[in-house]
Amino acid sequence: VDTSDEWIYTRTGIRERRIASEQETTATLAFEAAARALVIADMHPSQVELIIVATSTPEYIFPSTACRVQDYLGATRAGAFDLSAACSGFVYGLSMAAQSIQSGAVRNAVVIGAETMSRVLDWQDRGTCILFGDGAGAVVLKGSSVPGGVLASTLRSDGSGGDMLSLPAVYHNPMPMLGPEYLHNGHQNNTVAMNGRQVFRFATQVVADSVEETVLKAGLTMDDVALIVPHQANIRIIQGTAKKMGVPMDHVIVTVQDHGNTSAASIPLALSVGAAQGKLKQGDLIVTEAIGGGLAWGAVVLRW
Ligand code: UT7
């Protein structure tokens, strides 16, 4: 496509991204991430009680990616389902899993964000094909009498903005979205279509508010926040949101330069990088936030 490294870097912050090999699928990436997380959590797969895979790129509507991961892991006592909230899927999944544990329904959960976005891009569309990457990350949540973990969450949506960012399902030709005609004009079927400028504007309006609301719900203030782990869509959105919240950039984990936009996988990947770099310290207050297709957005406040 007609683009340049300079345009991509200055407008998005992206330097590199990963593309899955032919042998890899969203399920195999999700499995690898979950298996590694379980080793770190010192848990045997047979102890897992819930598996949530946040993804927009399942191979099948059913069986769910989560059920395939359950089988690959040998997690014989786990419930498993996929969660569809596009780029916000991991934030939604984290919130759902924590509430399942807090209610006593399950004792633990594996929450995975996994995507093979490269398979659903229109490689002729320079507005999207330069942005997205493949990857997977996972966290293990366990119930504990020690205070901490997920403290509060805020989940929001505005379906009237659905036409700004969409990916048709594969099983039929969907009705066209109400909204700007051009979105699916000239697009290959079953590929991502996005009005980047509109999504950009919306993102910079709503995300900071949902973070502040969530921190307040947890009975804390923004001064208590040690680290923001945002969805990695665009460095300019990350910087703009941090500025709006009054959070300095050295309190923000940024991985968009290495991964591109990996949709639901971006936050667990960023958590993994942050953990490997020693940036996530026990007891730190951490906020994850995301916005994407739906439109759906939200934030989770947690004590690491
Ligand atoms: O993860 C889910 C949520 N998604 C997002 O958060 C994405 C949000 N949006 C964005 O990150 C940005 O809007 C983009 C990176 C997609 C685009 O950046 P922008 O600064 O908003 O650019 P634009 O769409 O306003 O386009 C500016 C110019 C246009 O040319 P003209 O009309 O000014 O002549 C585009 O045609 O840049 C052109 N352009 C490109 N040029 C070179 C658009 N894409 C490219 C490209 N290479 N890849």
Side-chain angles (χ1 to χ4, degrees), residues 217-230:
K217 262 189 216 168
L220 298 158
T221 71
M222 288 303 291
D223 289 339
D224 298 314
V225 175
L227 210 54
I228 306 273
V229 187

Side-chain angles (χ1 to χ4, degrees), residues 39-300:
V39 169
I40 294 169
D42 196 20
M43 258 176 75
H44 192 270
S46 64
Q47 294 172 285
V48 175
E49 296 189 6
L50 179 65
I51 299 169
I52 300 177
V53 177
T55 186
S56 298
T57 49
E59 283 163 277
Y60 298 92
I61 303 293
F62 62 87
S64 67
T65 306
C67 280
R68 311 203 84 195
V69 172
Q70 175 277 326
D71 183 42
Y72 295 163
L73 284 171
T76 46
R77 294 171 51 79
F81 69 95
D82 286 0
L83 188 154
S84 166
C87 298
S88 303
F90 185 78
V91 168
Y92 271 64
L94 207 52
S95 173
M96 294 294 111
Q99 289 174 58
S100 299
I101 293 170
Q102 283 156 4
S103 74
V106 296
R107 282 174 294 187
N108 60 60
V110 181
V111 184
I112 307 164
E115 303 281 12
T116 43
M117 295 302 290
S118 63
R119 310 228 163 113
V120 294
L121 295 176
D122 174 353
W123 289 94
Q124 307 299 316
D125 174 16
R126 68 178 184 174
T128 53
C129 76
I130 53 103
L131 298 171
F132 293 93
D134 301 339
V139 299
V140 176
L141 301 184
K142 285 188 212 175
S144 167
S145 53
V146 179
V150 173
L151 304 179
S153 58
T154 303
L155 305 179
R156 291 276 188 277
S157 63
D158 180 0
S160 73
D163 59 305
M164 287 185 207
L165 177 50
S166 58
L167 173 60
V170 292
Y171 56 94
H172 67 103
N173 285 325
M175 296 289 284
M177 284 268 185
L178 295 174
E181 280 297 308
Y182 60 83
L183 266 183
H184 277 287
N185 280 352
H187 267 278
Q188 291 168 13
N189 263 348
N190 307 325
T191 55
V192 172
M194 178 170 75
N195 185 323
R197 213 177 290 187
Q198 281 183 6
V199 178
F200 189 104
R201 204 175 303 133
F202 193 84
T204 47
Q205 281 164 13
V206 299
V207 173
D209 287 350
S210 63
V211 169
E212 283 161 0
E213 185 181 334
T214 318
V215 170
L216 213 60
K217 262 189 216 168
L220 298 158
T221 71
M222 288 303 291
D223 289 339
D224 298 314
V225 175
L227 210 54
I228 306 273
V229 187
H231 170 47
Q232 309 283 322
N234 186 319
I235 187 66
R236 293 186 293 135
I237 297 177
I238 295 171
Q239 287 167 338
T241 304
K243 196 171 167 198
K244 210 167 165 189
M245 296 184 296
V247 174
M249 280 304 288
D250 59 355
H251 289 219
V252 181
I253 293 193
V254 180
T255 53
V256 69
Q257 69 282 356
D258 298 323
H259 301 152
N261 181 345
T262 56
S263 186
S266 86
I267 291 175
L269 282 171
L271 282 172
S272 165
V273 169
Q277 293 174 345
K279 286 184 182 161
L280 305 174
K281 302 204 175 58
Q282 196 172 348
D284 274 356
L285 195 72
I286 292 168
V287 182
T288 64
E289 45 90 342
I291 171 153
L295 300 167
W297 66 99
V300 168

